[in-house]
Amino acid sequence: MIGPVRIARINAYAFRSPIAKPIITSFGTMLDRPAVFVRVEDTDGAFGWGEIFANWPAAAAEHRVNLLARDIGPLVFDCPLSHPTDLFHALTKRTHIVALQSGEWGPFRQVIAGLDIAVWDMFARRSGKTLRRFVNAKAADHVPAYASGIHIKDADALIADAREIGFKNFKVKVGFKTEDDLNRIHRLFDNKSKDETIAADANQAWDVDEALKFMVQTTTLPLAWLEEPIPADSPTLDWKKLNDARPYPLAGGENIIGFKEFEKTAETAQLQVLQPDIIKWGGLTGCLAVGEQARSQGLLYCPHFLGGGIGLQASANLLAAVGGEGLLEVDVNPNPHRDAFGLVSSRVSEQGWACNAEPGLGIISLPDALKKFETNTVEIY
C-alpha cells in the first residue's frame, strides 16, 4: 500500500426484526432484534464492513445511523489512515468535547467502534488475508465457543438444543428471583455431562449482599465464572468483598470503557475473566489491546458479544488473533441479523467455532434476506 488510505464513502443500515419470544434480562426486555451495519470504502474502491452496538436502549439502532450521518461520518474523510488504528484514535479525540457536551458517551463510542472494525476489515481485505491473520500470522482457524443468552427458566430446553448443535460450554442468565435461580442452577449441574461447563451472568442485578448470598449458596458448584454480579461501576471495595469470598472466577468487561479503566480493573484484580465488547467500545483497536494485556497478566479473555453476524465474525477473528484459552460468546436465541450470514449450526463443530476463510471478515455484501427489516439507511460521501 502506497501512501495513506482515505475513506471516500460510508454506508450505514439499521435493521429491526420481530421475534416470537422476547429476550429477557435482569435489567430489561428486548421485544425485537435490532442491528446496525456499516460499510466504508476508500478512494481506490477497497471496502470493509463493521457493526455498531444497537441493543439498548430500544430506540438505539436508528439513532446510531443518524449520529453517524450527521456528527461522526463527515469527520472520517479528514483522517488519512496509515494503519487501521489511526481512525479510532483520531475520532475519539475529535468527538470528545461534543460527546461530553451531549452526554452521549456510549453512542459516540459505539459508532466509532463499528467504523474501526470496518477499517480493519478493509485493510485486511486489501492485504488478501483474513482479519485474524492480518493481525497475527499464527492465528487459529477455530476458536472455542460457548452458548449464551440462555434464560435460567428456559435453560433445560435451550442447553439441550445447543448441545445438539455441538456446544459443550453454556452460560445462563440469572438475577431474577434468587431462590428460583439457585434451585434451577443446582439442577443444571446435576444434569450436565463431565466435559461440559456452565457459567452464570447476573447482568449487574444485585448489590453486594445479594451477590454474596448467591455465591455462598453456589460454593459447591464449579461455575466457569459469575459475570457482572454487581454494577460494573461499583466501588473497588465492593469488588474486593466479592473477591475475598468468591469460590469461582468473577467476569465482566462489556460495560467497562477505555484503556485506563481496563488497566485499573486488571491492576486491582477485581476480575479474573475480561470480556470487552468489540461493538460497544474500542472495535479491534481497543479490544485487541485489552486482550493482549489480559493474556500477559494471566487473565482469561472471553470477548462479550450479543449482536448480528458481522460483529460476531469480528469477535471470532479478534479472539483468534489474541489466542489463549478464551471462549467466543455465541447467543443461541433466534436472530435474523446473525443467521442471514450463516446459521450457528454451520459454524460449530468439535474443533470450535469456524472462522471465515475469505479475506477480511469474509463479508462482501449484506444478505438480501435482511432488506425487509431495514428501518434506516444513509450514504455519506
Side-chain angles (χ1 to χ4, degrees):
M1 189 177 300
I2 301 174
V5 170
R6 288 188 176 274
I7 303 301
R9 187 179 306 273
I10 304 170
N11 295 86
Y13 310 84
F15 300 95
R16 194 173 293 279
S17 65
I19 50 177
K21 187 174 183 178
I23 308 299
I24 301 174
T25 72
S26 61
F27 63 85
T29 300
M30 294 175 66
L31 300 176
D32 55 27
R33 295 304 295 253
V36 175
F37 301 129
V38 59
R39 180 185 186 274
V40 300
E41 182 178 322
D42 70 13
T43 53
D44 294 327
F47 65 91
W49 284 96
E51 181 171 345
I52 298 168
F53 180 81
N55 288 346
W56 310 99
E62 295 75 19
H63 171 268
R64 302 305 185 263
V65 170
N66 290 333
L67 181 64
L68 171 61
R70 296 176 66 92
D71 292 270
I72 301 176
L75 303 177
V76 173
F77 306 123
D78 296 331
C79 299
L81 310 176
S82 298
H83 190 273
T85 60
D86 292 345
L87 186 67
F88 173 82
H89 294 296
L91 290 181
T92 298
K93 181 178 181 180
R94 293 193 63 180
T95 61
H96 178 83
I97 297 302
V98 68
L100 176 64
Q101 183 74 23
S102 64
E104 293 209 20
W105 292 106
F108 274 86
R109 288 162 174 159
Q110 292 153 18
V111 171
I112 292 171
L115 288 167
D116 178 85
I117 295 168
V119 166
W120 275 94
D121 181 36
M122 182 183 70
F123 270 74
R125 192 184 304 277
R126 290 190 64 146
S127 76
K129 300 176 182 178
T130 62
L131 179 53
R132 63 190 179 280
R133 295 279 172 80
F134 178 72
V135 176
N136 176 1
K138 297 181 180 180
D141 293 328
H142 291 79
V143 291
Y146 70 94
S148 178
I150 300 172
H151 193 293
I152 189 68
K153 287 186 177 180
D154 302 321
D156 290 332
L158 289 178
I159 286 178
D161 291 344
R163 186 181 289 125
E164 284 294 315
I165 292 174
F167 286 101
K168 292 185 178 181
N169 307 294
F170 314 95
K171 185 175 76 179
V172 295
K173 287 189 175 296
V174 295
F176 305 101
K177 294 181 179 179
T178 302
E179 292 303 323
D180 186 53
D181 289 350
L182 287 167
N183 289 334
R184 290 177 183 276
I185 201 164
H186 275 276
R187 288 203 301 271
L188 287 179
F189 274 89
D190 288 341
N191 297 324
K192 84 173 188 68
S193 300
K194 289 183 179 180
D195 61 344
E196 294 179 341
T197 68
I198 298 175
D201 183 0
N203 286 123
Q204 310 183 89
W206 301 318
D207 59 24
V208 172
D209 290 339
E210 290 171 312
L212 287 171
K213 177 182 178 181
F214 182 90
M215 291 166 65
V216 167
Q217 296 192 47
T218 53
T219 298
T220 60
L221 300 182
L223 273 177
W225 65 72
L226 177 60
E227 187 171 329
E228 291 194 324
I230 58 177
D233 62 353
S234 295
T236 300
L237 182 59
D238 287 351
W239 284 103
K240 185 178 186 304
K241 290 179 181 178
L242 297 188
N243 270 286
D244 288 345
R246 67 176 178 84
Y248 35 65
L250 299 179
E254 63 178 286
N255 295 307
I256 297 175
I257 302 298
F259 296 104
K260 291 183 179 179
E261 286 303 307
F262 275 105
E263 288 174 6
K264 176 184 175 183
T265 299
E267 288 171 359
T268 56
Q270 68 186 40
L271 300 173
Q272 293 72 51
V273 184
L274 279 187
Q275 304 167 306
D277 191 310
I278 196 171
I279 65 173
K280 289 188 79 171
W281 168 82
L284 258 291
T285 297
C287 293
L288 182 63
V290 170
E292 291 171 344
Q293 177 192 30
R295 286 207 61 195
S296 71
Q297 295 177 309
L299 304 177
L300 190 64
Y301 182 66
C302 299
H304 175 273
F305 191 74
L306 195 79
I310 294 178
L312 180 57
Q313 197 61 268
S315 193
N317 274 261
L318 165 67
L319 180 57
V322 171
E325 298 179 353
L327 293 89
L328 176 70
E329 180 168 17
V330 182
D331 171 29
V332 292
N333 292 287
N335 185 351
H337 308 136
R338 177 198 63 222
D339 297 340
F341 294 90
L343 297 176
V344 169
S345 58
S346 70
R347 291 283 187 181
V348 177
S349 68
E350 291 185 358
Q351 295 174 282
W353 178 271
C355 297
N356 55 289
E358 305 80 14
L361 294 174
I363 297 164
I364 302 298
S365 60
L366 295 181
D368 293 337
L370 294 181
K371 186 65 180 178
K372 62 184 177 182
F373 302 124
E374 188 177 292
T375 60
N376 194 9
T377 182
V378 297
E379 182 173 52
I380 316 161
Y381 54 89

